[in-house]
Amino acid sequence: MADTSDFKNGLVLKIEGQLWQILEFQHVKPGKGPAFVRTKIKNVLSGKTVDKTWNAGVKVETATVDRRDMTYLYHDGSDYIFMDGETYDQLSIPEDTVGDGARFLLENMQVQVATHEEAPLFVELPVTVELLVQHTDPGLQGDRSTGGTKPATLETGAEIQVPLFINTGDKLKVDSRDGNYLGRVNS
């Protein structure tokens, strides 16, 4: 159990049998009336985000979430296989649990896997990943109809928008949360 004063970003709460992760929180002390806490929470399994307000001092049940550093090994059918670097145990995680981050996974990449009662909840990739451009069309100097970007296919098969000066074979830094181009990596 946790008090509203114990809230912090990333804390996982158990509300009505479901797991919710705190994304943002704010303690509010209005001039009139009691203090309260405004939170933005995300359902760990479905990804749904909602705003919830709590009276100050309310006790909320917390869930024990174990976060372990693991190495991504390979994709097997509809599952992704990860290995714990300390125990060498392998964990098979379904595609829907891995989520959108799967399109930026490279073999031997270090990720964080969160589990609750031995069941995998979600996989956190590093915020930025470095990937090679597998294919992109050459950018034409006068082509500005798309705002100066063009599609590029990365070595993982993901397609992102990149500036016109990017060529096939360039190594890019990509934001794994939203797939945005962040810059070129100098070799």
Side-chain angles (χ1 to χ4, degrees):
M1 291 296 248
D3 192 291
T4 54
S5 62
D6 299 327
F7 281 6
K8 62 184 177 201
N9 292 344
L11 182 69
V12 178
L13 307 174
K14 202 173 204 177
I15 304 169
E16 297 172 10
Q18 294 187 343
L19 299 178
W20 296 81
Q21 183 177 21
I22 296 177
L23 301 176
E24 299 173 13
F25 70 97
Q26 178 183 19
H27 290 276
V28 180
K29 294 180 184 176
K32 285 184 175 177
F36 59 92
V37 179
R38 227 183 249 131
T39 61
K40 181 179 276 189
I41 56 177
K42 178 176 111 178
N43 188 307
V44 172
L45 298 176
S46 71
K48 178 181 175 184
T49 304
V50 296
D51 294 324
K52 186 158 175 65
T53 304
W54 312 81
N55 290 331
V58 169
K59 299 248 185 241
V60 184
E61 188 177 353
T62 58
T64 314
V65 175
D66 179 30
R67 292 174 188 257
R68 292 184 293 183
D69 289 328
M70 298 188 110
T71 305
Y72 169 62
L73 296 178
Y74 59 93
H75 184 209
D76 181 31
S78 63
D79 290 346
Y80 290 84
I81 311 301
F82 296 86
M83 181 182 70
D84 188 325
E86 294 175 15
T87 63
Y88 300 108
D89 290 339
Q90 291 187 7
L91 182 62
S92 178
I93 301 178
E95 271 180 9
D96 55 335
T97 304
V98 176
D100 268 354
R103 55 193 198 126
F104 301 114
L105 273 176
L106 273 178
E107 288 182 3
N108 298 319
M109 181 182 280
Q110 295 295 315
V111 297
Q112 252 195 4
V113 176
T115 57
H116 172 66
E117 296 174 355
E118 299 301 318
L121 298 175
F122 55 88
V123 176
E124 278 183 12
L125 272 69
V127 174
T128 60
V129 292
E130 294 179 2
L131 300 167
L132 285 171
V133 176
Q134 199 75 28
H135 172 75
T136 187
D137 294 327
L140 301 174
Q141 186 56 31
D143 182 17
R144 290 288 184 264
S145 64
T146 59
T149 62
K150 61 183 179 178
T153 305
L154 304 174
E155 61 185 307
T156 60
E159 192 170 288
I160 65 168
Q161 292 293 317
V162 297
L164 294 174
F165 59 83
I166 299 298
N167 298 312
T168 300
D170 286 353
K171 194 168 201 175
L172 307 181
K173 191 177 278 193
V174 179
D175 188 328
S176 66
R177 297 168 296 188
D178 55 17
N180 285 339
Y181 163 83
L182 297 175
R184 260 196 302 203
V185 177
N186 295 330
S187 304

